[in-house]
Amino acid sequence: MIGLLNVGSLVLGLIAWILPVISLLKYRSTNNTNWITLSILSLSACAVSLGFQMFYNYHLVKIEDWAALMDTAGAVAFAATVLLIVTILLNAITLFVLRYKSAR
């Protein structure tokens, strides 16, 4: 059951990236009013994904699997940083593109 935290984290991380891309692909649509909702869902998916990783690391500490924790800590920190930065960038691009469109 605990192994599903990693799968859930991966799926939610992909969702966090896909939702702003969907907003940008619907850019030319005249009825793109749900981009704010998609951005909020994207940031929420990113936050839950990072939370799943923290719970998994807590599980490793609780069962005292220090070898697994030491082996994966660097990769998890790097992946979490990439996930957060890319999610913020995609949502910022969506914000600027679609706010500019609505201002015209």
Side-chain angles (χ1 to χ4, degrees):
M1 191 70 163
I2 294 295
L4 292 177
L5 288 174
N6 286 329
V7 174
S9 180
L10 180 64
V11 169
L12 287 170
L14 290 174
I15 288 171
W17 287 355
I18 290 170
L19 290 176
V21 171
I22 289 172
S23 288
L24 288 171
L25 291 176
K26 291 175 65 177
Y27 167 70
R28 298 200 188 277
S29 172
T30 57
N31 192 14
N32 190 10
T33 58
N34 62 350
W35 66 270
I36 294 173
T37 304
L38 290 176
S39 290
I40 291 171
L41 287 173
S42 170
L43 292 171
S44 298
C46 179
V48 173
S49 174
L50 295 174
F52 280 179
Q53 284 303 307
M54 285 189 274
F55 280 121
Y56 185 71
N57 280 344
Y58 173 70
H59 168 72
L60 291 178
V61 169
K62 196 166 72 173
I63 65 170
E64 297 180 2
D65 191 355
W66 307 120
L69 195 58
M70 287 188 294
D71 286 345
T72 61
V76 169
F78 178 75
T81 304
V82 170
L83 173 66
L84 186 61
I85 290 172
V86 171
T87 302
I88 290 171
L89 284 175
L90 284 172
N91 283 296
I93 291 168
T94 302
L95 173 71
F96 290 127
V97 167
L98 297 176
R99 287 281 291 220
Y100 176 72
K101 178 184 177 186
S102 66
R104 287 192 286 157

